[in-house]
Amino acid sequence: MARSEPRRAAVLGSPIEHSLSPVLHGAAYAALGLHSWTYERVEADADRLVEFVAGLGPEWAGLSVTMPGKRAALGVATEVSERAAAVGAANTLVHQADGSWAADCTDVDGVVGALRSAGGFTTGHSGLILGAGGTAAATLAAFAELGLSEATLAVREPARARDAAETAERVGLRVRVERLDSVALADAAAAADVVVSTLPAGALDAQAAELATAGCVLDVVYHPWPTPLAAAVTAAGGRIATGLDMLLHQAFGQVEQFTGLPAPREAMRDALAEATGNELPLPL
């Protein structure tokens, strides 16, 4: 199908009404001259995702997938990237010429890009992750790509860290699981080359100063800004990356896989900054 012909793409998830993905993809398609391309939001849980994908025609270029359908996305694909298999989830589905779907996890790109561009990360061997959900799994894969060799998972309930620990094993990281309420956070953060908090807003506000002993921190929360953790890291002279940086950097790979063209990074960054009130610098 020629690029001048109408193509469709969408983001699937639940809830989905506040997704910023249409801002990023819309800006990308406009900058690339793909004026017949559209990108929409589709409300879909995991079961609905499977049903929806099965009914799509050749005009569909690709799908972005957010929660709760990232694991289900693997099941509809006949081709799964190595990193998506390692994470156990896919946020990207690309329609192939034969009608099948290929799955990837550009969430890994999101963490890598956020840590390098906003967090100033260059090199290191150990990382500390707070939480053990899907974002933590993608972070472990990102740590391996960044050259780290070990990670500590600080979690509320160690039994729930099994999936993340399996991801660490698949990407070759040594991992230690600790109970969050028994970890000396200041010491753990100071010993780590990078700290990533995947916890929801407010979960560790009281411990922000302890975590700020790390020089490079990624806080997936970005609203309201600044978060207590971001303020503490900045005051301590460290570098802070956020979930908004992750969102931006994961979208570059999606656009490239959907269109076959280089992502217009500045146009996408500027559109996202405008849509979020220019609160964050979003370095490239």
Side-chain angles (χ1 to χ4, degrees), residues 119-213:
F121 180 85
T122 54
T123 185
H125 75 277
S126 66
L128 170 65
I129 302 174
L130 308 176
T135 302
T139 298
L140 287 163
F143 279 3
E145 187 170 317
L146 288 165
L148 276 67
S149 57
E150 62 183 33
T152 298
L153 291 170
V155 300
R156 292 190 180 94
E157 178 47 64
R160 296 179 181 175
R162 180 179 302 171
D163 288 344
E166 290 177 353
T167 293
E169 182 178 354
R170 286 192 287 264
V171 299
L173 279 181
R174 295 190 301 275
V175 66
R176 182 172 64 254
V177 178
E178 302 281 358
R179 189 176 292 276
L180 184 60
D181 58 12
S182 63
V183 173
L185 285 178
D187 293 340
D193 296 297
V194 57
V195 173
V196 177
S197 173
T198 70
L199 299 176
L204 281 180
D205 286 357
Q207 290 79 32
E210 297 175 61
L211 293 170
T213 56

Side-chain angles (χ1 to χ4, degrees), residues 65-66 69-71 73-74 84 87-93 103-107:
V65 182
T66 187
K70 292 185 179 183
R71 290 188 179 275
L74 290 180
V87 173
N91 74 323
T92 304
L93 289 171
D104 190 22
C105 185
T106 68
D107 285 333

